């Protein structure tokens, strides 16, 4: 047999065997629960824009002071999509993930967003929607949990990048812990660049009380918050 055909055949057999053994993780293969009736379907994410990656990199700066104007729901959806949106039919996302295991969960603490009631929401990449966790404006509580950083209380909304580390450590052991932190960094940079492209501002916040943030988000026991990212329209010269 032609050696090239033989090697392709062997490769195919190996891939099939790995898949049958459950070693090939195909995100989106598993059925996901139907969204709840009160889910907020986000406007479809844009796949094109007027700002190049290079321009966004030049513009990216941490912004901590925001104009007192509400965010549009489409803008919230767009930065969520940048963090964890699904970009192919296998369920792969904007942010790379070790083993495509996707340990990150992104939450939104919304206070002033057009067409979105104040409250705490979890982003569901499948369906590009928000699941309501709790009602009411929790921005002041979140600010208090973040060593009183005013950016958190003042922003119209704050994204919280949380993780379920077990999803990754189950496969990679202790090394998975570092993979999860790396992934949060990838997602946060995506949010920074998308915000820059939308003329929005954000800052990656690592200084906060884990327990208090977990309580505000009603996080499940196996989840932990890694980053807070307030998002708003930056006022000039605030860096
Ligand atoms: C891991 C990490 C944690 C951070 N935590 C905070 C924070 O708690 N509060 C804050 O205002 N900025 C925080 N920052 C943002 C840095 O202060 C900021 O990136 C730095 O001053 C450089 O400015 P630039 O982002 O505008 O380039 C953090 C950044 C990183 C990477």
């Amino acid at each position: 047999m032609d050696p090239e055909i033989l090697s392709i055949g062997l490769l195919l057999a190996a891939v099939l065997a790995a898949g049958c053994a459950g070693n090939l993780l195909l995100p989106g293969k598993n059925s996901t629960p139907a969204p709840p009736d009160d889910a907020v379907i986000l406007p479809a994410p844009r796949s094109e824009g007027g700002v190049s990656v290079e321009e966004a990199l030049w513009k990216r700066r941490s912004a901590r002071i925001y104009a007192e104007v509400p965010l549009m729901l489409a803008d919230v959806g767009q930065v969520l999509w940048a963090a964890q949106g699904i970009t192919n039919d296998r369920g792969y996302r904007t942010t790379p993930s070790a083993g495509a295991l996707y340990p990150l969960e992104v939450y939104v603490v919304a206070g002033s967003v057009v067409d979105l009631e104040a409250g705490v929401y979890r982003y569901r990449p499948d369906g590009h929607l928000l699941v309501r966790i709790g009602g009411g404006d929790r921005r002041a509580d979140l600010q208090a949990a973040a060593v009183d950083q005013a950016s958190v209380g003042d922003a119209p909304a704050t994204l919280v990048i949380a993780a379920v580390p077990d999803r990754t450590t189950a496969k990679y052991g202790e090394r998975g812990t570092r993979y999860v932190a790396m992934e949060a960094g990838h997602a946060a940079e995506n949010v920074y660049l998308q915000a820059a492209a939308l003329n929005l501002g954000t800052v990656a916040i690592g200084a906060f009380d884990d327990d208090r943030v977990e309580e505000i988000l009603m996080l499940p026991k196996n989840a932990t918050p890694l980053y807070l990212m307030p998002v708003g329209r930056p006022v000039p010269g605030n860096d």
Side-chain angles (χ1 to χ4, degrees), residues 60-62 64 149 151 192 203-207 227 239:
R60 188 212 65 81
R61 196 88 288 142
S62 293
R64 300 176 180 82
Q149 298 188 67
S151 54
Y192 262 117
V203 54
I205 289 190
Y227 257 147
D239 53 53

Side-chain angles (χ1 to χ4, degrees), residues 142-199:
L142 197 62
Q143 172 174 336
V147 291
D148 207 29
Q149 298 188 67
S151 54
V152 176
D154 293 348
T158 291
L159 267 53
V160 181
I161 299 175
V164 179
D166 299 350
R167 290 183 195 155
T168 302
T169 55
K171 177 168 183 181
Y172 295 109
E174 191 44 43
R175 198 166 185 82
T177 307
R178 86 158 71 176
Y179 292 166
V180 171
M182 290 168 173
E183 291 184 30
H186 294 305
E189 182 68 3
N190 282 4
V191 172
Y192 262 117
L193 295 178
Q194 180 68 80
L198 295 171
N199 282 319

